[in-house]
Amino acid sequence: MRVIIEPDYDSLSKWAANYVANRIIEANPTPEKPFVLGCPTGSSPLGLYRNLIEMCSAGKISFQNVITFNMDEYVKLPEDHPESYHSFMWNNFFNHIDIKRENVHILNGNAPDLIAECNHYEELIAEAGGVDLFMGGIGPDGHLAFNEPGSSLSSRTRIKTLTTDTIHANSRFFDNDLSLVPKQALTVGIGTVMDAKEVLLVCSGHNKARALKHCIDGDISHKWTSSMLQMHPHAIVVCDEASCDELTVGTYKYYLDKERGNL
Ligand code: GLP
């Protein structure tokens, strides 16, 4: 695992965006061999998306030959609801880049058969040749996508019931009214994310310190599902100083020294 420690949210967002842009540029995608990008929602990736939008507007990067698969979507929230992950993605990213509408994939939480929808999503990812780079955030309870504590670490795309922690955390998008937060979501599994060739997580702020500690500095556990990334051959966590507050001093120094070339 690579851990990149940046001073603050702006610099971690820039680092992550540059990394993703370079990966796409290096892959030199074509319609026959597109680049497959996994996309998260949440506040954490907003800066990363803003930087990618700027690079695209400046002509430094194109998404013409990029196919995306989003991580998750609420169940039974109308697609055009302002807090649906469909709305989030189009408002904060897709509407501002040159991606083709047909190349965007987001789980349909209103599908008549939710299990079939999840199975079909896995098939679509496989047909696209697998995900080249899965971007992600970390929930305060350590979850990845909506793989809540207790999720199988080999899970595939499926329906998950949200934990009380997550319902509280996400209520900030629903007028702080817990009753308005959907109680279930469709989500790619930990196994789905683990199959990606690369995974890049962004993590920012003191309220993520406990989750980051368990993700990179604790044991692999289904209680902290992002910790499974310790088993991934190409995982990168890009974090800021504030989110490092609970790492051991040794871990913190090791990753800083490694990236500075002091080791
Ligand atoms: C939601 C999403 C996750 C995201 C998490 C953290 O639960 N399903 O993919 O990582 O929120 O969000 P934020 O970045 O806003 O803290």
Side-chain angles (χ1 to χ4, degrees):
M1 179 183 280
R2 248 183 110 182
V3 177
I4 311 294
I5 302 169
E6 288 289 318
D8 53 32
Y9 181 69
D10 282 348
S11 53
L12 87 81
S13 300
K14 277 202 183 77
W15 195 100
N18 280 329
Y19 187 87
V20 173
N22 285 335
R23 271 287 174 266
I24 296 173
I25 292 165
E26 282 160 19
N28 195 17
T30 60
E32 294 72 38
K33 202 180 174 310
F35 189 88
V36 184
L37 186 64
C39 296
T41 56
S43 341
S44 308
L46 281 173
L48 158 61
Y49 287 148
R50 269 197 299 274
N51 279 281
L52 288 175
I53 291 167
E54 275 171 27
M55 284 185 234
C56 186
S57 307
K60 293 181 185 157
I61 181 182
S62 168
F63 292 85
Q64 291 265 0
N65 294 317
V66 173
I67 295 186
T68 62
F69 285 92
N70 256 81
M71 286 190 140
D72 44 16
E73 177 56 288
Y74 291 114
V75 165
K76 294 211 178 351
L77 191 67
E79 204 170 291
D80 60 359
H81 187 285
E83 295 305 335
S84 79
Y85 287 173
H86 279 76
S87 298
F88 177 98
M89 288 309 296
W90 285 99
N91 293 338
N92 292 302
F93 193 36
F94 298 143
N95 278 336
H96 313 286
I97 57 172
D98 59 347
I99 196 157
K100 294 182 184 129
R101 186 165 273 272
E102 64 270 24
N103 283 350
V104 169
H105 301 89
I106 307 178
L107 283 153
N108 178 6
N110 294 290
D113 182 342
L114 293 174
I115 294 174
E117 169 69 12
C118 293
N119 294 340
H120 182 54
Y121 205 66
E122 288 279 341
E123 285 163 17
L124 289 174
I125 294 175
E127 275 166 28
V131 175
D132 289 302
L133 172 57
F134 229 128
M135 306 183 288
I138 307 182
D141 63 1
H143 71 224
L144 180 56
F146 267 131
N147 292 287
E148 297 285 32
S151 292
S152 154
L153 296 179
S154 59
S155 49
R156 311 303 308 187
T157 305
R158 69 211 184 291
I159 309 168
K160 278 302 290 185
T161 299
L162 307 188
T163 60
T164 305
D165 266 356
T166 296
I167 291 169
H168 272 271
N170 290 4
S171 66
R172 70 192 194 276
F173 301 115
F174 294 86
D175 298 330
N176 291 313
D177 183 343
L178 298 182
S179 73
L180 297 179
V181 185
K183 305 296 178 288
Q184 288 192 314
L186 304 186
T187 179
V188 295
I190 292 294
T192 320
V193 178
M194 289 295 289
D195 280 353
K197 294 178 190 83
E198 275 190 282
V199 183
L200 178 142
L201 296 195
V202 286
C203 181
S204 167
H206 180 77
N207 71 324
K208 297 289 174 70
R210 208 163 142 244
L212 185 67
K213 169 185 129 159
H214 285 281
C215 174
I216 68 175
D217 211 3
D219 299 332
I220 297 170
S221 162
H222 71 159
K223 300 310 283 179
W224 300 89
T225 56
S226 55
S227 65
M228 188 59 182
L229 285 189
Q230 294 172 28
M231 294 291 286
H232 197 286
H234 299 291
I236 305 181
V237 177
V238 195
C239 52
D240 59 8
E241 290 282 349
S243 61
C244 289
D245 282 358
E246 300 223 10
L247 298 184
T248 60
V249 175
T251 299
Y252 173 79
K253 281 166 66 178
Y254 171 72
Y255 285 120
L256 273 183
D257 281 345
K258 195 151 83 83
E259 290 301 325
R260 285 176 183 153
N262 293 339
L263 289 178

